[in-house]
C-alpha cells in the first residue's frame, strides 16, 4: 500500500489553517448590519459633566491626576539612530500640542470611556485632531468584532470614517461592546427588574436637589391665617390686598369669621430623610470612583482616612495612565518613527508621565571626576565647573587668585 505523503501533509496543513481561521463570533447579525450605538448617548453624558458639579469633579480629578503632570519621551539608547527617532516624536508632539490633546482626551475617556482621534494622513501622519463625541453615531463592525467604519451623524455630514484613520481610545468595553465605559455611565443608567424600572442615581440626586429650594421657600416662613372679626367685606378685601402685596415668604389667608382657629404649617419633625439622602449621595460618589467629594464635604474626615482614600484612587489613575500610554505609543509614536525611515521596534519610543528626573550629583562624584580629569588629562570636568557645582551645593568659596590679581591690577 502506497501512501502519498505530500497529499497527506497538504491535507493536514489545510485542516490546521481552517482551524486557525475559525474564530468566535462577537456580534449578532442584526448588529453587524445596523451598526452599534452607545448605551447612554454622548450628549447625555456630556450634559451630566457640564451641569452637575459632582460629575465634573469626578472627571476633572481623575483626568488631572492622570495627565496633569505632563509627559516626556524616551528611546532605546542602544539604537544607533535613537536621537533621530526621539527628535521626530518630540517635534510632532509639539506641533500638534499633544499635551493639550491628552488633557481633552483624558476627560472624555474618564467621563464616557471613549475618545476619537482622527489622524490626518495625506501621504503620512501630519496632524491629529479630536472628533466631537456627539459626531460619532455608530460603529460598524463585522461579526468577529473588527471595526469596518465609524459613522458620523447627519448633522456632521453622515460620512463613514475608515478605521485606519481613527485612533479610538476605548476604556473598559463590557460584553464585547464597540464603545467603552466611563465613570458617568453607571450614574446615568436605569435598572430594570421584575417589570419595573428604577431611575438612574443621577436623576434621583437631581430630583432631591430640585425639591430642596421648594421646601425651603415653602417652610422658610409658616403659612398664616389672619383674623379680622366684625370687619366688613370691603374692608376685609382691602386688608387682603395689602397683606398679599408684602414681600414675605409663606402663604397668607384672610378670613372674616371670629371663631376660626389660627393655624401654621411646619415641617413634621418626625419626617427624617437624612439617611435616604445620604444613601443616594454615597451611591453617586461610588459611581464617580474618586474620594474627592467626600474629602471636601464630610465632617471629621481624618488625614489618615484621606490618605487611604487617595491611595485607592491612585490605582485607578495608574490604570488610566497605562491605557493611554500604550495606545499613544502604538498608534502615534510607532507610525511616526516608521515614516521617517527608522525602525520603531528598535527605537522603542516610550511615553513617560511627569517630569524627567534630574540625577543628583554627590560631592564624592565631583571629586572623583575632577581627579580623573587631572590624572588622565582629559577634561571631563573643568576646575571652574567644579567651583560652580560646589557653590550650588552650598559651599562658600572665595574668589580665585587669578580673579583677585585682576582686581588689584585694575585698581
Amino acid at each position: 500500500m502506497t501512501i502519498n505523503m505530500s497529499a497527506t501533509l497538504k491535507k493536514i496543513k489545510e485542516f490546521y489553517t481552517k482551524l486557525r481561521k475559525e474564530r468566535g463570533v462577537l456580534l449578532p447579525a442584526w448588529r453587524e448590519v445596523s451598526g452599534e450605538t452607545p448605551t447612554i448617548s454622548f450628549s447625555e453624558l456630556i450634559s451630566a459633566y457640564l451641569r452637575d458639579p459632582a460629575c465634573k469633579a469626578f472627571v476633572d480629578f481623575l483626568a488631572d491626576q492622570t495627565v496633569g503632570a505632563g509627559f516626556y519621551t524616551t528611546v532605546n539608547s542602544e539604537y544607533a539612530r535613537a536621537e533621530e527617532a526621539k527628535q521626530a516624536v518630540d517635534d510632532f508632539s509639539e506641533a500638534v500640542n499633544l499635551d493639550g490633546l491628552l488633557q481633552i482626551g483624558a476627560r472624555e475617556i474618564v467621563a464616557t470611556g471613549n475618545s476619537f482621534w482622527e489622524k490626518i494622513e495625506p501621504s503620512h501622519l501630519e496632524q491629529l485632531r479630536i472628533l466631537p463625541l456627539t459626531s460619532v453615531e455608530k460603529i460598524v463592525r463585522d461579526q468577529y468584532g473588527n471595526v469596518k467604519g465609524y459613522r458620523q451623524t447627519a448633522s456632521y455630514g453622515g460620512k463613514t470614517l475608515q478605521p485606519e484613520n481613527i485612533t479610538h481610545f476605548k476604556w473598559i468595553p463590557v460584553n464585547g461592546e464597540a464603545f467603552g465605559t466611563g465613570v458617568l455611565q453607571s450614574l446615568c443608567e436605569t435598572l430594570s427588574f421584575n417589570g419595573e424600572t428604577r431611575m438612574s442615581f443621577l436623576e434621583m440626586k437631581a430630583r432631591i436637589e430640585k425639591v430642596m429650594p421648594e421646601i425651603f421657600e415653602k417652610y422658610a416662613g409658616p403659612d398664616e391665617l389672619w383674623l379680622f372679626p366684625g370687619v366688613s367685606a370691603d374692608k376685609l378685601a382691602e386688608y387682603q390686598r395689602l397683606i398679599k402685596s408684602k414681600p414675605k415668604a409663606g402663604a397668607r389667608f384672610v378670613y372674616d369669621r371670629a371663631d376660626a382657629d389660627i393655624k401654621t404649617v411646619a415641617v413634621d419633625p418626625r419626617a427624617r430623610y437624612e439617611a435616604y439622602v445620604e444613601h443616594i449621595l454615597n451611591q453617586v460618589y461610588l459611581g464617580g470612583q474618586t474620594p474627592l467629594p467626600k474629602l471636601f464635604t464630610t465632617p471629621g474626615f481624618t488625614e489618615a482616612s484621606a490618605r487611604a482614600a487617595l491611595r485607592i484612587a491612585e490605582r485607578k489613575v495608574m490604570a488610566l495612565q497605562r491605557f493611554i500610554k500604550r495606545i499613544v505609543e502604538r498608534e502615534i509614536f510607532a507610525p511616526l518613527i516608521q515614516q521617517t525611515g527608522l525602525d520603531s521596534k528598535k527605537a522603542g519610543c516610550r511615553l513617560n508621565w511627569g517630569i524627567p528626573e534630574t540625577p543628583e550629583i554627590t560631592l564624592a562624584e565631583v571629586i572623583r571626576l575632577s581627579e580623573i580629569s587631572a590624572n588622565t588629562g582629559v577634561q571631563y570636568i573643568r576646575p571652574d565647573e567644579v567651583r560652580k557645582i560646589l557653590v550650588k551645593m552650598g559651599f562658600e568659596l572665595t574668589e580665585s587668585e587669578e580673579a583677585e590679581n585682576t582686581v588689584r591690577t585694575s585698581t
Side-chain angles (χ1 to χ4, degrees), residues 45-168:
L45 295 172
I46 292 171
S47 178
Y49 169 75
L50 293 176
R51 300 177 183 179
D52 188 278
C55 290
K56 191 172 189 305
F58 299 150
V59 174
D60 286 347
F61 175 81
L62 288 173
D64 288 339
Q65 289 291 104
T66 302
V67 301
F71 73 93
Y72 64 96
T73 60
T74 55
V75 292
N76 179 14
S77 59
E78 296 181 359
Y79 180 45
R81 303 178 67 182
E83 288 301 320
E84 295 180 57
K86 178 172 170 54
Q87 192 65 45
V89 170
D90 290 347
D91 289 346
F92 179 83
S93 300
E94 183 176 357
V96 302
N97 187 19
L98 184 58
D99 183 65
L101 294 177
L102 288 171
Q103 293 286 341
I104 298 170
R107 279 161 174 75
E108 293 184 345
I109 294 167
V110 173
T112 72
N114 300 272
S115 187
F116 302 93
W117 294 24
E118 185 179 17
K119 293 180 283 190
I120 312 300
E121 299 177 311
S123 56
H124 58 274
L125 184 56
E126 293 183 356
Q127 183 61 267
L128 287 174
R129 63 180 179 184
I130 298 179
L131 298 175
L133 287 170
T134 52
S135 72
V136 180
E137 180 182 30
K138 293 182 178 180
I139 296 179
V140 182
R141 299 191 293 172
D142 62 21
Q143 61 179 329
Y144 302 114
N146 301 311
V147 177
K148 299 195 297 184
Y150 297 87
R151 189 179 303 163
Q152 293 191 290
T153 61
S155 59
Y156 284 88
K159 297 180 180 179
T160 298
L161 305 176
Q162 297 304 309
E164 58 268 19
N165 293 331
I166 300 296
T167 295
H168 181 191

Side-chain angles (χ1 to χ4, degrees), residues 200-309:
S200 70
F201 278 105
L202 202 58
E203 184 178 353
M204 294 182 198
K205 177 174 174 288
R207 288 195 179 191
I208 292 172
E209 292 169 339
K210 177 181 179 296
V211 171
M212 289 172 67
E214 298 174 359
I215 294 175
F216 181 81
E217 290 178 358
K218 182 174 182 180
Y219 296 108
D223 291 346
E224 301 168 349
L225 180 63
W226 294 51
L227 301 177
F228 297 95
V231 175
S232 65
D234 293 339
K235 198 67 175 176
L236 188 64
E238 181 183 346
Y239 290 161
Q240 188 176 30
R241 286 192 299 272
L242 178 62
I243 294 168
K244 287 189 174 182
S245 67
K246 298 295 183 182
K248 181 182 178 183
R252 298 156 188 83
F253 305 96
V254 178
Y255 194 53
D256 62 350
R257 292 195 50 158
D259 57 349
D261 293 331
I262 299 176
K263 300 292 185 182
T264 59
V265 180
V267 179
D268 187 346
R270 294 171 298 177
R272 304 297 297 272
Y273 299 108
E274 294 90 342
Y276 301 104
V277 173
E278 185 178 0
H279 172 73
I280 299 300
L281 293 180
N282 283 337
Q283 294 302 307
V284 172
Y285 295 154
L286 286 173
Q289 302 183 43
T290 168
L292 179 66
K294 280 290 187 181
L295 296 180
F296 288 162
T297 60
T298 304
F301 213 88
T302 64
E303 183 180 354
S305 300
R307 290 180 182 274

Side-chain angles (χ1 to χ4, degrees), residues 361-379:
I361 302 175
T362 64
L363 180 59
E365 291 172 336
V366 174
I367 295 173
R368 178 60 179 160
L369 194 58
S370 61
E371 288 177 349
I372 294 175
S373 299
N375 295 333
T376 61
V378 180
Q379 290 294 314

